[in-house]
Structure formats: C-alpha cells, structure tokens
Amino acid sequence: MTDLASAPTWPAHDPGTRRWLPDHSRPVDHARVEQLLAAEWERFTSTTGASGEHNARASRTLPLGVTSSFQHWEPYPISIQSAEGAWLTDVDGHRLLDLSMGFGAMLVGHLNPVVVEHVERALKETGTLFVTPSPQATDMSERFCRRFGLDMIRFTNSGTESLMYAIRAARAYTQRKAIVKIEGGYHGGYDALQVSVKPALEDIGPADAPIGDVPFDVEAGTVHVVAYNDLGMLEKVLAEHGSEVAAMVVEPVIENLAIVLPDEGYLAGCRALCDEYGVVLVFDEVKTGLTAGPAGAAQRLGVQPDLITLAKSIGGGLPLAAFGGKREVMEVVVDGRMAHFGTYNGNPLVMAAAAAVDEICTPEALDTAEAINVRAMEAIDAAIAEYELPAHTVGLGVKGCVTWSTTPVRNYRDYKATDFAVAELSWLWGVNRGILTPPGLDEQWLVSLAHTDDDMGHLVSDFTELARALRG
C-alpha cells in the first residue's frame, strides 16, 4: 500500500483549478489488467461490426478511413451517424453518451435549438458568405472582445490557423523569429508548433535539458522547448536566447495530456519573464476557452497574455476560430507588418452560430454544467478511495479526467510515467458500455450544457464497476 500522506510534497496547483488525490492506494495487478483488456477488445470487435465494415470502406478513399488522424484507433474506430443533445448513435445502432463533445466544440450540445435557429436564419434569410465586411462579424468581434478581455480580434477557421497567425503577429511585432513552447504540448498543425508533441522519451534528452524533437516533414525554425511548471528552465532559456524569442506559446492548462494544471503562481511567473525579456505571451485557449468558464482560462486564472487563440467552444459546432489580444500587438495587421487573409473568415453562417453560443453560454449555464462535472468527480473520488486505486481526478471548468498516477502530473515527463495500460482499459471499458471519450490514453471528458446528473451517473457507475473488476 502507498501512503500518500507521507509522500514527498509538491507545489500547490492554481486555486482556479481542481485536483483531488487519495490518502493511500494499492497497486493494481497488471496480469488482471491484461486479462480484462483482452476480454474488452473481444467484446468491442464482436459488437461493432458495422463500424468495422464502414472503416474498411472509408479506408479506400480516406487515409486510415478517417477525416482527422486523431480519430483513428486499432483495429478501427466507432463510426457515428447522428447526434442530439449529449448522445450519439453509431452505425451499429448503439446509443453512446458523448463525453468527448469535439474537445469542446460541442459545448452547447448537439443540435442545440438556439444554434439551429440562428443558423437556419442565416441559411434561409441572411446568406452564408459575403466576402465583405458585415455587421454580423463586427457584432461578434465586439461581443468576444468584451467577454474575453481583448482589445482587438480577427476570425479564422481553425485552431491551427489562429496559432499560426498569433506567432506571425508576435514575430512582426518583436522583429524576432524564435519561439518557446512547452514539451509535450499540442497546438495544431503549424510547423513551428509540431516540435516535441508527445515525443518518445529516448529522443528528447534529460528532463532538465530537453531536446526538441522535430518530425522529418516539419520545417520548424528555431524552437526552444521547456518543461511546463518550470520557471527556472524558462528563465534560463530566456536569459540565453531572449533577444531572439518572439513568443512563448502555452496552454494555460494543458489539455492534450489529460489535464495538467499550472502550479500556483506559474502563469504569473511566465507573464513576468515574458515582460522582462520583451517576449509576446500567447495563451492557446483553443481547448480551454468557454469550457474553462464564461471568460476563458486567462480570466479564470487571473493572468492576461498578450494574445489569445480561440476555437472549438465559440462556434457551436461550426468551424470558427480567432486570435486576438492587446491592441499594440494586433496593430501589426492594421499597419501591414503582417497580412491576414481568409475567404471564409467571419462568414455570416459561423457568426450566426457564434451569436447563439454567446447567448447560451451565460455564467449561470456554465456554472450549472461545472457543478454537474464536480459532482461526478466527487463520486469517482469516492470509488477511487473505496477501492484504493492508484489514481486521482483533475478538473477545470466543465472538463475532468481520471489520471492513473498516485502523484500529480505537472509536466510531460510525469505524464509519460502514468499507467497507460489501465488508462487504455478504462477508456475501452467505457466505449463498450456506451460512453465515448476521446480516443487515446488521456481519459478526458467534457460536460456540455446538454448533460445531466443522470447522464454523468453512467460514467460514475461504469467507473465503479471497473474498479470492482480491477480488484477482482
């Protein structure tokens, strides 16, 4: 048994976030884990034949049979044919509780009636694409600037676009080229941000002096990789290279490694160091955004970056993203130091959806969803404690996860030390019982405005059943 009360201490997490650890735990029997995994994979393939057939057909014209590589898993992924509210229907006719919700893109729920009404009006009365200035885009720029505390904003169509232009804006503003990014962090497909995205440990050097891992197909430029929650490492890099660094790009809360929380004071320390060295601080809020609260993670955690990138939660399920921030940085678009173009930017169709999201995502509505999330995490905490599992829960806003570790995950190296075999079992256990979380081993869920306590009760009961099975 591991007694966590006598374990080494670690820094407190940011008070705007949630993490719970049990007082003690017992290791799981990995022979039992492998036995359960084998049974669950057999159950999966025996009940999802139509998904298998669909993937075989799709693979003839779509690489891996999917439209985005993260959707794929072996032997094949579940194929979904319809959705409403918090629920999906797959091609085998099974109903599944959607706890992925497009990583936040479906924060307001599938086919939300307010979104449908606004979008139908655009389709039938307003129009879908003008490629001119429009009152709709101006209105949403004003609303989002008020909501997220921005001086100026530009719309794009994806998180990747927003991050690319944020970096280009920082370069134009500082007249520098290099960037700093977090080891293990994911920020879309722009070349400079493909460095050290979930790299193999053998490729990235020691923890106190990480080496950037650059895929062969990437032309990254100069990228300095630092560990999350390590201000000393950031200060060392900036002391040596600060005069060359245009921007530091960081998710205020990392959400591609399950959920990794900032230590108390870490983000403020990043802000201070960027100010000291004249570096543009970019918060990637593509995944946090409204899922972190009504004004995003920056407002919730009390640290204002120079630029923020947004996507997913602001679009109600339509492809909408944005970058914005301080006027002095965004002025590079005004005076031509950086050109920003895009045929579909701020088109009336997505602006209609954005207006609906802005109406729906009131503080009260998001507080209600967050309370449902917290109650679910508290119930899972009780199961972890009862069965003395080597796990803990982490949450931010309407997102939560179970992390299979007895100690906090504070950076990428900690994440790589978690128990991925049990994480795979936990994810597959849910899939086989009608609960869909993102594929992979990150075990993150999202409570949308369409979810109820009863819906989350399915997650709690299935997790408790898994805990019982693990103890055999």
Side-chain angles (χ1 to χ4, degrees):
M1 179 185 296
T2 301
D3 183 0
L4 299 185
S6 61
T9 58
W10 43 79
H13 57 90
D14 189 289
T17 62
R18 182 191 187 278
R19 180 167 62 214
W20 174 88
L21 291 105
D23 292 330
H24 58 270
S25 67
R26 290 185 288 128
V28 296
D29 178 354
H30 276 83
R32 176 68 173 161
V33 173
E34 292 303 318
Q35 178 188 31
L36 290 170
L37 263 174
E40 290 302 313
W41 277 118
E42 183 177 349
R43 175 172 174 169
F44 175 83
T45 55
S46 68
T47 58
T48 57
S51 280
E53 292 170 5
H54 177 256
N55 183 252
R57 172 195 166 197
S59 295
R60 290 193 287 271
T61 50
L62 290 166
L64 298 176
V66 296
T67 55
S68 179
S69 292
F70 81 85
Q71 298 171 3
H72 178 75
W73 73 74
E74 294 290 348
Y76 51 81
I78 297 288
S79 293
I80 301 300
Q81 63 181 6
S82 65
E84 184 174 7
W87 291 83
L88 308 166
T89 301
D90 70 12
V91 293
D92 285 279
H94 304 136
R95 291 186 79 232
L96 299 99
L97 180 64
D98 189 357
L99 286 179
S100 172
M101 302 302 289
F103 301 106
M106 302 312 307
L107 172 64
V108 298
H110 296 284
L111 296 180
N112 181 286
V114 180
V115 174
V116 170
E117 178 188 354
H118 280 64
V119 169
E120 281 187 339
R121 190 179 308 128
L123 286 168
K124 295 177 179 178
E125 300 174 18
T126 306
T128 61
L129 184 65
F130 305 152
V131 201
T132 67
S134 72
Q136 294 92 330
T138 301
D139 177 51
M140 288 316 306
S141 71
E142 292 168 346
R143 291 202 213 181
F144 280 154
C145 281
R146 283 195 300 270
R147 182 185 278 268
F148 294 106
L150 311 174
D151 294 332
M152 301 183 85
I153 192 171
R154 269 291 182 97
F155 295 112
T156 69
N157 304 285
S158 70
T160 291
E161 270 188 80
S162 290
L163 266 299
M164 177 182 73
Y165 278 112
I167 288 174
R168 289 180 57 187
R171 286 172 171 161
Y173 176 72
T174 62
Q175 293 296 290
R176 304 170 182 173
K177 289 283 190 175
I179 68 167
V180 173
K181 80 171 292 282
I182 299 299
E183 185 174 66
Y186 173 75
H187 304 281
Y190 183 47
D191 277 38
L193 297 173
Q194 289 296 293
V195 177
S196 291
V197 177
K198 289 188 178 177
L201 291 180
E202 60 266 25
D203 296 332
I204 56 175
D208 60 353
I211 298 169
D213 179 62
V214 184
F216 179 80
D217 60 307
V218 165
E219 288 287 353
T222 303
V223 179
H224 302 286
V225 175
V226 298
Y228 190 67
N229 278 324
D230 193 329
L231 288 173
M233 187 181 296
L234 175 61
E235 185 169 22
K236 182 175 184 292
V237 167
L238 291 181
E240 293 177 5
H241 306 286
S243 62
E244 308 162 6
V245 174
M248 177 186 183
V249 180
V250 58
E251 281 189 284
V253 175
I254 297 180
E255 292 192 349
N256 73 301
L257 308 175
I259 301 175
V260 182
L261 305 179
D263 294 343
E264 187 171 14
Y266 171 69
L267 295 175
C270 292
R271 173 72 280 174
L273 285 169
C274 287
D275 286 342
E276 180 179 351
Y277 289 94
V279 172
V280 173
L281 179 60
V282 180
F283 276 3
D284 175 359
E285 291 223 40
V286 168
K287 282 189 174 180
T288 52
L290 295 176
T291 72
Q299 299 296 314
R300 181 179 187 130
L301 304 180
V303 176
Q304 193 67 21
D306 299 300
L307 294 174
I308 288 176
T309 61
L310 297 162
K312 301 188 190 301
S313 62
I314 62 172
L318 274 70
L320 171 63
F323 68 100
K326 294 181 179 178
R327 183 176 302 276
E328 63 192 69
V329 182
M330 293 297 290
E331 284 283 348
V332 300
V333 182
V334 177
D335 61 25
R337 281 174 285 169
M338 185 199 81
H340 171 236
F341 301 112
T343 299
Y344 294 99
N345 294 346
N347 67 77
L349 189 66
V350 299
M351 292 297 95
V357 168
D358 191 55
E359 288 179 21
I360 298 162
C361 290
T362 62
E364 295 76 18
L366 291 171
D367 283 349
T368 296
E370 182 170 344
I372 292 172
N373 185 36
V374 170
R375 285 192 288 271
M377 284 191 285
E378 288 173 344
I380 289 172
D381 294 342
I384 289 172
E386 178 181 356
Y387 292 95
E388 300 177 301
L389 296 178
H392 64 275
T393 58
V394 187
L396 175 72
V398 298
K399 290 188 177 182
C401 72
V402 173
T403 296
W404 291 94
S405 170
T406 58
T407 56
V409 171
R410 298 177 52 246
N411 54 50
Y412 179 65
R413 310 281 175 136
D414 290 346
Y415 163 80
K416 290 293 283 185
T418 59
D419 192 328
F420 290 110
V422 188
E424 179 184 353
L425 174 62
S426 179
W427 165 76
L428 182 59
W429 188 274
V431 171
N432 282 340
R433 287 154 185 80
I435 294 177
L436 195 63
T437 51
L441 306 176
D442 301 327
E443 197 67 17
Q444 182 189 118
W445 65 76
L446 183 144
V447 177
S448 78
L449 303 190
H451 285 77
T452 65
D453 281 308
D454 285 346
D455 292 333
M456 296 307 292
H458 293 289
L459 175 68
V460 173
S461 62
D462 285 348
F463 183 85
T464 305
E465 181 188 345
L466 171 62
R468 199 174 297 123
L470 282 169
R471 293 308 183 196

